[in-house]
Amino acid sequence: MAHRPKRTFRLRRADSSDSDGAQETFAEPGATGEQAAGGPAVKGPPSGRGHAEVAELLRRGRGRRRGRAWASSRHAARAAPRLDGSSDAPEFRMVDLSADEEDGAHHSSESKDDQRLSPNSSRTLEDEFSSVVNIPDAAFIQATYGKCKLTQAQEDYISLDVKQAFTNSGMKKNSEASESEPDDFKDIMPFTPKPQTLKQRMAEETTTRNEETSDDSQDEKNQDIWEQQQMRKAVKITKGQDTDLSYSHESQTVKKFDASISFPPVNLEIIKKQLNTRLTLLQDTHRSHLREYEKYIQDIKSSKSTIQNLENSSNQALRFKFYKSMKIYVENLIDCLNEKIINIQEIESAMHALLLKQAMIIMKRRQDELKHESAHLQQLSCKPETSINKSLAIDENTQLILEEVESRRARRRQARVLSGNCTHEEGTSSDDELSSADMTDFQKSQGDILQDHKKIFEDVHSDFDNIQNILLKFQQWREKFPDSYYEAFISLCIPKLLNPLIRFQLIDWNPLKFDSIGLKQMPWFTAIEEFINCSMEDSKKEDSSDKKILSTVINKTVIPRLIGFVEFIWDPLSTTQTTSLITQCRMILEEHSTCENEVNKGKQDLLKSIVSRMKKAIEDDVFIPLYPKSAVENRTSPHSKFQERQFWSGLKLFGNILLWNELLPEDTLQELGLGKLLNRYLIIALLNAIPGPDVVKKCSQIAAYLPEKWFQNSAVRTSIPQLENFIQFLLQSARKLSGNEIRDEVKEIILILVKIKALNQAESFIEEYHLDHLRSVIKEFK
């Protein structure tokens, strides 16, 4: 049921003929709008006769009946011109002033007077009007009202219903046509409310109370009143409108079931087959559900048994407890090491910088002293016409340095005499003594660093800074739960955990000192060895992963630190440093090479750094000056002494290089010792020397430094190609000495040739100079 629309009121003027007793009334614009909205349903204008009859009836009704106006006086006056077809389709408006509740009493009295005065005429008017106007029923009015509201609210809405859209478009057109007509009564607008009568106020109060008490009953009453008003306000609807609206109304009704329709006959076999099929499906579904149910029951039983076994199994509880304790321990250990690693790096860098400073002082002093002493000797060799004042000025600049050098040499000679070493040659000393001031500063700085070194782990429990206690924790894991231990790859984790602690112990370790502790004697080394040995006993596997722990630690921790010493601190001219370094490297590179890939990489890096440092020493520290024979004939002259010292210094470096014969490859060592040092510096100095016992002594020392490993092949009668220049010098010296009948030195040269496998040259020389008594020497070495 449609709802009552909102009603508004507009002031209309009564006809001049009603001025004697009529009052101003308010008409509903909603009614007019509804009639206008209903207009579009009209397909065409009504006939001329119908218009004339309606106009005549309106004029007659207005004259006979007072207080009720079906149209305004101006609309009635303009009705005649529109009937001749010269203007748009006529539009009739029916205004029922009795619908206004304000004028209910007035209209009621006027209706009674009209009926009393002219009953016959009123009845005749109603009969004639009913023959022209068809009053629609309530359903029709409700449908029309709904269409009007839809058209007004959604003018731009396009309905999917073709008939509905068509009807709405027609209604819209007629509504626009009706709105285009002039309405003079719209010009008058009320600005003050009309005074209400006593009856009107009572009716309003009654309505308010009824609305508060019973809203539902009032809505129904208002709906009934509204329907009655719509029936009285309805306009004439053409047959086309009736047809469209009735069709639209019927299309909205629900189709009812027609019992007269016949169905095909029922086949019982088909029904039975369908029922069997449905039953089979249900049975299959039921069986699948049963299987799932049984599976769930089994899962529940299995879960309960597992829970029971876990609750009753003490081993699992102990395993969980152990794993939890290990997890907490490792986390705390990592936190501790992460906090201490910064301090370890600072102390490590400070110690390395201190040792580097000391090494740089010694190397720079050696180079400066060599430079000044060579310049001084050069001045002494200058011509007499050189300015004496200039020479004296240069001597004054170098005098202090030369005096300091000579004082250190005197102290070393005195120390050698006290020790009984009388075979020492000048120039073979390392000359690495520091002054008392430098030595005091070095010891003080080193003491401060070691004091800070002790404070790093002073606030740490022994379970977290003692490598043996740490490895004991992992050893317990390996003994109790070996499967999980090896599955966790603990052998790869232990070197990383121990790295900070091992570096902490290596801070005070100097592999260049002759009294430095060996790696095997360090606590971390022995602890790891014990851990590996226990692993071999427990696992009884030759390929146990724990065997690689020590080699990995050496490769990742020890070798990088050793490379730092080789590149920046090691002095190849120092035999003490070289011997100590070789001892440490031999232990690292030979005895602990179980993990070949890793150790080989570290080994290659270490050996490259050693070779590079020795090349640099040959280029920077070897200097053997060549003076005229007149300057070096006197063995006590400064030139001769300086040349001798520099030769023995180069020869000392030659011997230090060849000490690496068991660690460095032979071709690399021969290239360094023989190619770059012997042939380029030492042989040239020997050629410039006067043949004699001193030259033979130097050649014997060179041959003594050569590794015997190079000459162990008895089938070879020729020496190493790089020794060819040295062999030729020996033969040349032997020829000179044989002419002077110095038999002992010649025999010494023959022995040198035999030692270095120059047998063919030795035999040729013996035959050439008829030294048959020396053939027995050759036979001894065959």
Side-chain angles (χ1 to χ4, degrees):
M1 180 177 293
H3 297 284
R4 177 184 180 184
K6 184 177 180 180
R7 298 172 59 188
T8 57
F9 300 91
R10 288 186 293 184
L11 182 63
R12 294 181 183 272
R13 291 183 300 179
D15 193 79
S16 60
S17 60
D18 300 334
S19 61
D20 54 347
Q23 297 179 358
E24 293 181 354
T25 60
F26 293 89
E28 298 184 22
T32 306
E34 291 164 5
Q35 289 300 111
V42 181
K43 298 293 179 77
S47 63
R49 180 175 176 276
H51 286 296
E53 290 177 355
V54 172
E56 183 62 25
L57 289 174
L58 291 174
R59 287 193 296 272
R60 289 167 56 188
R62 184 181 60 187
R64 293 181 182 179
R65 302 182 65 178
R66 299 173 60 191
R68 178 173 297 181
W70 291 92
S72 64
S73 60
R74 296 185 181 181
H75 283 204
R78 282 196 293 267
R82 293 181 182 178
L83 295 175
D84 57 359
S86 61
S87 62
D88 297 336
E91 177 179 358
F92 298 94
R93 301 187 181 184
M94 294 178 291
V95 181
D96 188 2
L97 298 178
S98 63
D100 301 334
E101 294 181 0
E102 295 93 350
D103 301 337
H106 178 69
H107 290 295
S108 178
S109 62
E110 287 182 352
S111 298
K112 290 180 182 179
D113 293 340
D114 291 339
Q115 291 177 2
R116 183 174 63 252
L117 293 176
S118 56
N120 296 330
S121 61
S122 177
R123 186 179 298 109
T124 304
L125 178 60
E126 292 176 358
D127 295 338
E128 292 176 359
F129 188 77
S130 62
S131 64
V132 177
V133 180
N134 294 326
I135 299 175
D137 57 357
F140 182 81
I141 293 172
Q142 182 178 355
T144 304
Y145 175 72
K147 294 179 181 295
C148 294
K149 293 297 291 182
L150 181 61
T151 304
Q152 293 177 359
Q154 302 178 353
E155 293 181 355
D156 57 346
Y157 173 72
I158 301 175
S159 175
L160 298 178
D161 189 356
V162 178
K163 295 183 177 58
Q164 183 71 12
F166 177 80
T167 304
N168 292 339
S169 63
M171 293 170 64
K172 181 177 179 181
K173 290 180 181 179
N174 290 339
S175 176
E176 293 175 355
S178 64
E179 290 177 358
S180 64
E181 294 180 2
D183 286 340
D184 295 338
F185 61 85
K186 294 182 180 179
D187 298 334
I188 302 175
M189 298 179 62
F191 292 92
T192 58
K194 181 180 178 181
Q196 295 180 349
T197 60
L198 179 59
K199 292 182 179 180
Q200 292 174 350
R201 289 195 297 273
M202 292 175 65
E204 184 177 358
E205 293 177 359
T206 304
T207 304
T208 304
R209 286 195 298 271
N210 293 336
E211 290 178 355
E212 294 177 355
T213 55
S214 58
D215 293 339
D216 296 338
S217 60
Q218 186 65 26
D219 291 340
E220 294 178 357
K221 183 179 179 181
N222 292 338
Q223 186 65 27
D224 295 339
I225 295 173
W226 178 77
E227 289 178 358
Q228 292 176 6
Q229 291 175 356
Q230 294 299 323
M231 292 176 64
R232 286 194 295 269
K233 296 177 184 178
V235 297
K236 180 181 178 181
I237 306 302
T238 60
K239 293 181 179 181
Q241 287 177 315
D242 296 340
T243 303
D244 293 337
L245 293 176
S246 62
Y247 176 80
S248 176
H249 177 69
E250 291 175 359
S251 63
Q252 296 178 359
T253 60
V254 181
K255 294 183 179 181
K256 298 182 180 179
F257 177 72
D258 190 0
S260 62
I261 298 175
S262 61
F263 291 94
V266 178
N267 191 344
L268 296 179
E269 293 296 332
I270 296 176
I271 295 175
K272 183 178 179 181
K273 184 177 180 180
Q274 293 178 351
L275 291 175
N276 290 332
T277 303
R278 179 62 177 168
L279 180 60
T280 303
L281 293 175
L282 292 175
Q283 289 176 351
D284 294 341
T285 305
H286 178 66
R287 283 192 294 270
S288 64
H289 290 170
L290 286 178
R291 287 192 296 270
E292 293 180 358
Y293 173 75
E294 292 176 357
K295 180 181 178 182
Y296 294 151
I297 294 297
Q298 292 296 330
D299 292 342
I300 292 172
K301 290 181 180 179
S302 176
S303 300
K304 288 181 179 181
S305 62
T306 303
I307 294 172
Q308 188 67 25
N309 293 333
L310 292 176
E311 291 177 352
N312 296 333
S313 176
S314 60
N315 186 20
Q316 296 296 331
L318 292 175
R319 181 187 292 265
F320 173 76
K321 184 177 180 180
F322 178 79
Y323 288 159
K324 185 176 181 180
S325 64
M326 282 298 299
K327 178 179 179 294
I328 296 173
Y329 174 76
V330 172
E331 289 177 351
N332 293 333
L333 177 61
I334 292 174
D335 293 340
C336 174
L337 296 178
N338 287 335
E339 181 179 351
K340 299 298 182 180
I341 188 63
I342 299 175
N343 298 331
I344 293 174
Q345 290 176 349
E346 292 177 355
I347 300 299
E348 190 178 41
S349 300
M351 180 61 74
H352 184 77
L354 181 63
L355 296 176
L356 177 62
K357 179 181 178 181
Q358 182 187 20
M360 293 301 296
I361 290 175
I362 295 174
M363 292 179 187
K364 186 175 184 302
R365 186 186 67 185
R366 180 193 300 151
Q367 293 177 357
D368 292 343
E369 291 175 353
L370 180 63
K371 179 180 177 182
H372 285 87
E373 190 170 3
S374 176
H376 174 68
L377 295 175
Q378 189 68 25
Q379 292 176 4
L380 296 178
S381 301
C382 291
K383 295 180 180 181
E385 56 268 16
T386 304
S387 176
I388 299 175
N389 295 330
K390 184 176 180 181
S391 301
L392 293 176
I394 296 175
D395 291 339
E396 291 177 358
N397 293 331
T398 61
Q399 188 67 29
L400 294 176
I401 296 176
L402 295 178
E403 290 178 357
E404 182 181 356
V405 171
E406 189 61 30
S407 64
R408 290 199 306 272
R409 290 172 184 166
R411 288 194 296 269
R412 288 195 295 269
R413 280 194 296 267
Q414 185 178 1
R416 288 193 295 269
V417 170
L418 294 176
S419 63
N421 185 10
C422 299
T423 61
H424 182 80
E425 298 291 340
E426 291 288 341
T428 57
S429 299
S430 300
D431 194 16
D432 53 1
E433 299 92 348
L434 291 175
S435 64
S436 59
D438 293 339
M439 195 65 184
T440 303
D441 294 340
F442 174 79
Q443 291 177 353
K444 183 178 181 301
S445 301
Q446 187 179 26
D448 295 338
I449 293 174
L450 295 178
Q451 192 67 24
D452 295 337
H453 166 258
K454 294 179 181 179
K455 295 179 181 179
I456 294 178
F457 286 99
E458 65 180 3
D459 59 341
V460 179
H461 194 271
S462 60
D463 289 342
F464 299 96
D465 67 342
N466 192 322
I467 294 178
Q468 187 174 4
N469 293 341
I470 294 173
L471 293 176
L472 184 61
K473 295 283 187 180
F474 290 99
Q475 184 177 350
Q476 293 175 358
W477 186 358
R478 185 178 59 194
E479 292 174 355
K480 292 181 179 180
F481 312 107
D483 295 338
S484 61
Y485 173 85
Y486 290 107
E487 289 175 358
F489 298 99
I490 301 301
S491 60
L492 300 178
C493 303
I494 288 178
K496 295 181 180 180
L497 287 175
L498 301 182
N499 178 270
L501 298 174
I502 295 174
R503 290 169 60 183
F504 171 78
Q505 295 187 19
L506 292 177
I507 287 178
D508 192 25
W509 177 63
N510 188 351
L512 304 179
K513 294 175 64 176
F514 70 95
D515 58 347
S516 64
I517 184 174
L519 293 178
K520 290 184 177 182
Q521 288 74 35
M522 289 187 176
W524 64 267
F525 193 95
T526 57
I528 295 176
E529 274 190 334
E530 292 177 1
F531 181 79
I532 294 175
N533 295 333
C534 293
S535 172
M536 297 295 294
E537 294 176 0
D538 295 338
S539 62
K540 295 181 180 180
K541 296 180 181 179
E542 296 181 356
D543 57 346
S544 177
S545 58
D546 290 343
K547 292 173 57 179
K548 303 177 182 179
I549 292 177
L550 184 58
S551 60
T552 304
V553 168
I554 292 174
N555 183 53
K556 298 294 185 181
T557 307
V558 179
I559 288 181
R561 182 168 176 81
L562 201 59
I563 290 175
F565 276 96
V566 170
E567 291 180 349
F568 303 104
I569 302 174
W570 173 44
D571 182 12
L573 286 173
S574 174
T575 305
T576 303
Q577 293 185 10
T578 303
T579 304
S580 300
L581 183 62
I582 289 173
T583 303
Q584 302 293 343
C585 291
R586 181 178 289 111
M587 188 276 301
I588 292 173
L589 300 178
E590 291 183 357
E591 296 186 11
H592 300 282
S593 58
T594 55
C595 185
E596 295 183 357
N597 294 331
E598 295 293 338
V599 171
N600 281 341
K601 182 180 181 301
K603 179 180 178 180
Q604 295 300 325
D605 296 338
L606 179 60
L607 295 181
K608 286 180 181 179
S609 63
I610 293 172
V611 172
S612 176
R613 181 67 185 91
M614 288 192 296
K615 286 181 179 180
K616 187 174 184 300
I618 293 172
E619 295 173 357
D620 298 342
D621 297 330
V622 177
F623 174 69
I624 304 176
L626 299 178
Y627 297 113
K629 290 185 178 181
S630 60
V632 296
E633 285 179 353
N634 186 5
R635 303 296 303 272
T636 60
S637 66
H639 298 84
S640 177
K641 291 181 179 180
F642 180 70
Q643 189 182 49
E644 287 293 314
R645 284 196 300 269
Q646 291 304 115
F647 177 84
W648 285 104
S649 176
L651 187 57
K652 180 182 178 181
L653 179 60
F654 176 76
N656 292 340
I657 291 175
L658 295 181
L659 289 176
W660 294 91
N661 66 86
E662 296 180 358
L663 299 178
L664 292 177
E666 288 186 1
D667 54 348
T668 303
L669 203 61
Q670 291 174 5
E671 179 185 358
L672 285 174
L674 303 181
K676 292 183 177 296
L677 184 56
L678 178 63
N679 295 330
R680 187 178 298 180
Y681 293 99
L682 301 181
I683 297 298
I684 294 176
L686 291 173
L687 291 173
N688 192 44
I690 299 175
D694 293 337
V695 174
V696 175
K697 183 179 179 181
K698 294 176 182 178
C699 294
S700 299
Q701 191 62 41
I702 292 174
Y705 284 145
L706 295 175
E708 295 180 359
K709 183 180 178 180
W710 294 356
F711 312 104
Q712 289 179 353
N713 191 355
S714 60
V716 178
R717 298 180 60 85
T718 58
S719 185
I720 302 172
Q722 287 87 343
L723 291 175
E724 185 64 27
N725 293 333
F726 181 61
I727 294 172
Q728 295 299 326
F729 173 76
L730 290 174
L731 294 175
Q732 181 181 353
S733 299
R735 291 188 182 97
K736 292 181 180 180
L737 293 175
S738 63
N740 298 331
E741 296 182 356
I742 306 177
R743 298 178 179 272
D744 294 337
E745 283 73 9
V746 173
K747 181 180 179 180
E748 187 69 23
I749 292 174
I750 298 298
L751 293 176
I752 294 172
L753 292 174
V754 172
K755 181 180 178 181
I756 62 177
K757 289 293 182 180
L759 300 178
N760 295 333
Q761 291 85 344
E763 290 179 354
S764 299
F765 180 81
I766 291 172
E767 291 178 359
E768 181 181 356
Y769 288 92
H770 306 285
L771 302 175
D772 297 333
H773 63 282
L774 297 178
R775 293 185 183 273
S776 59
V777 178
I778 299 176
K779 294 179 180 180
E780 292 178 359
F781 283 91
K782 289 184 178 180

